Amino acid sequence: MGDAGPLLNGLYVTLSISVIAFAVAAIVGLGICIARSYLPVLRPLFAAYIAFCRNTPIFIQLLWVAYAWYELLGWPKSVFTAAWVALALQSSGYLAETFRAGIESVPAGQVEAAHALGIRRLAIWRRIVMPQMLLTITPALMNQFIVIIKCSTLVSVIAVPDLMFQALRLTGIWGDPVPIMSFVAVVFIAVIMALSALSKHFADLTRARLQS
């Protein structure tokens, strides 16, 4: 297939964008989830944000962030930043609902009992709510991360030199898409299978900690 250097560099860009997008989406999603509980007056605004993020195609969001935002705000100044911002924007809407469902799955009686015992709110979150919430939503979190990785193949449309961009470029140079696209498919399968195994391992560790 020739020099795989460009493809490996593209894979690094793909994973970097995906990790950053997921981390930002998780922070924003959790923040929205908590804010909806403590700022009921703003719930319609948060609901509109979530609806926008979840119902707008990622392709549109990529072009919107990369071009419209830059024209209106002068930011983001690089296509790399535009890529992870767009991916995070869409995923934050899904993760906000995921966190909400996870928090609501924790029995209210446990939280009330902890309050009655005088346990501080932060300790309740750290020792009671968060472990059970993570146990419940870990599969959904990992699924969303996998969705981000799959959607990252679209960032090539704004000229981000990710794995798909490099594969398409090399296909144009060598004129033989079969080995290049087969390599890309195998890479994505390997990455997603590894993430699925990691998700199961993390869920087992969390379950063991709760039972101890």
Side-chain angles (χ1 to χ4, degrees), residues 1 7 167 170-172 174-186:
M1 189 177 67
L7 294 177
L170 292 178
T171 297
W174 297 336
D176 188 3
V178 175
I180 299 173
M181 294 305 172
S182 298
F183 175 80
V184 171
V186 169

Side-chain angles (χ1 to χ4, degrees), residues 50-69:
I50 292 172
F52 172 80
C53 293
R54 296 178 64 178
N55 297 318
T56 309
I58 184 60
F59 183 80
I60 299 299
Q61 290 185 5
L62 277 167
L63 298 178
W64 183 53
V65 172
Y67 301 117
W69 280 27

Side-chain angles (χ1 to χ4, degrees), residues 107-120:
Q110 295 184 15
V111 177
E112 293 171 358
H115 281 301
L117 292 172
I119 301 176
R120 294 181 179 179

Side-chain angles (χ1 to χ4, degrees), residues 1 3-4 6-11 14-15 149-150 152-154 156 162-171 174 176-193:
M1 189 177 67
D3 185 13
L7 294 177
L8 295 178
N9 291 337
L11 175 61
T14 291
L15 294 178
I149 292 176
K150 291 180 178 179
S152 71
T153 57
L154 292 174
S156 59
D162 70 318
L163 180 57
M164 184 57 63
F165 179 91
Q166 299 290 3
L168 292 172
R169 185 178 68 84
L170 292 178
T171 297
W174 297 336
D176 188 3
V178 175
I180 299 173
M181 294 305 172
S182 298
F183 175 80
V184 171
V186 169
V187 167
F188 274 103
I189 291 172
V191 169
I192 291 171
M193 289 183 65

Side-chain angles (χ1 to χ4, degrees), residues 118 123 127 153 157 160 179 206:
R127 303 188 63 178
T153 57
V157 302
V160 177
T206 306

